[in-house]
Amino acid sequence: MTTLLQINTSLFGENGNSSQLTRRFIDVWQAAHPEGRVVVRDLTRDPLPHLDAERIQALFSTPEDRTPQQQAIVDVSDALIAELKAADVVVIGLPLYNFGIPSTLKTYFDHIARAGVSFSYTAQGPQGLIGDRKVYVLAARGGFYQGTPADTQTPYVTHFLNLLGIEDIEFVYAEGLNVSSEAKARAMQNAGATVDRLAA
Ligand SMILES: Cc1cc2nc3c(=O)[nH]c(=O)nc-3n(C[C@H](O)[C@H](O)[C@H](O)COP(=O)(O)O)c2cc1C
């Protein structure tokens, strides 16, 4: 059975522009894959705790030395990594907030970047352990950034996923959403048409 992992990060929940694009992707994908399974990770509804000294010590600890509290922290990270590994396709709704990715997504990344578990250090540099899979990133932005140095998101998200061994990444951009209602309608229509094509 094909599994799709949907990761939503908009502050505005279902009403977010990125969430509307992920919703549209899922609707089209489910019609094309009636047997497919969709797993939702909503980082706004269920945010993960920031890493702190206690959490990072737990994540760095060796299994035999862990306290039950540390094991509980590691279990959260292990479950997130297993969820990602089990997904054949991943769809990320990516709003632009203050020139960067949502802090909830950064925290999710902090929980799944684990040396020896999701990537390993080798003499040739880091080696991903998650395995490649298709990731669609549906980006919603108030202004225009695509292809400019101010687009911090595309290189960062690509670089991070590459660390895990994920190379097959495709971005869809809905930009200029805060410029005017006409610009927003046009951008959402264009991005939606691309989503329809990719999800089918
Ligand atoms: C807290 C906040 C910060 C934002 N920062 C930026 C920004 O730096 N650049 C930009 O072009 N748009 C910015 N916007 C506009 C969002 O990118 C735009 O509303 C987009 O639709 C967000 O995705 P969402 O609707 O899925 O949440 C910001 C919006 C919010 C709420």
Side-chain angles (χ1 to χ4, degrees):
M1 189 202 296
T2 312
T3 299
L4 183 153
L5 174 62
Q6 176 188 4
I7 302 178
N8 280 359
T9 64
S10 173
L11 292 173
F12 307 106
E14 297 276 301
N15 295 323
N17 294 310
S18 59
S19 310
Q20 287 178 35
L21 292 173
T22 58
R23 177 77 257 156
R24 185 162 172 165
F25 191 106
I26 303 311
D27 288 346
V28 174
W29 188 86
Q30 280 188 311
H33 302 83
E35 303 302 317
R37 190 168 72 104
V38 176
V39 175
V40 180
R41 169 115 340 244
D42 188 326
L43 296 173
T44 301
R45 194 185 54 207
D46 301 310
L48 294 157
H50 277 140
L51 289 192
D52 56 14
E54 183 192 5
R55 285 190 170 265
I56 201 64
Q57 275 162 21
L59 295 178
F60 285 165
S61 64
T62 45
E64 16 346 318
D65 297 329
R66 278 177 203 148
T67 65
Q69 290 82 355
Q70 287 182 318
Q71 187 59 55
I73 289 169
V74 174
D75 287 347
V76 172
S77 168
D78 283 348
L80 293 169
I81 292 169
E83 180 181 78
L84 179 58
K85 268 189 173 167
D88 303 288
V89 185
V90 181
V91 180
I92 303 175
L94 184 68
L96 180 69
Y97 296 144
N98 298 317
F99 308 110
I101 69 166
S103 56
T104 50
L105 185 63
K106 175 63 167 63
T107 302
Y108 171 79
F109 285 170
D110 289 341
H111 279 76
I112 62 172
R114 297 250 313 278
V117 181
S118 57
F119 71 96
S120 63
Y121 291 113
T122 72
Q124 289 75 41
Q127 176 94 40
L129 298 176
I130 293 282
D132 204 7
R133 67 214 57 232
K134 189 83 200 184
V135 176
Y136 296 99
V137 183
L138 312 182
R141 295 152 172 201
F144 295 95
Y145 298 82
Q146 190 190 347
T148 76
D151 179 2
T152 62
Q153 295 183 308
T154 306
Y156 171 69
V157 171
T158 302
H159 195 67
F160 180 80
L161 295 174
N162 288 170
L163 171 76
L164 306 181
I166 299 174
E167 305 279 341
D168 194 358
I169 310 161
E170 194 152 349
F171 285 78
V172 177
Y173 302 92
E175 293 199 312
L177 301 179
N178 290 4
V179 170
S180 67
S181 51
E182 294 78 22
K184 177 179 174 178
R186 209 169 35 243
M188 288 299 283
Q189 197 182 351
N190 287 340
T194 305
V195 162
D196 289 350
R197 179 172 56 74
L198 295 175

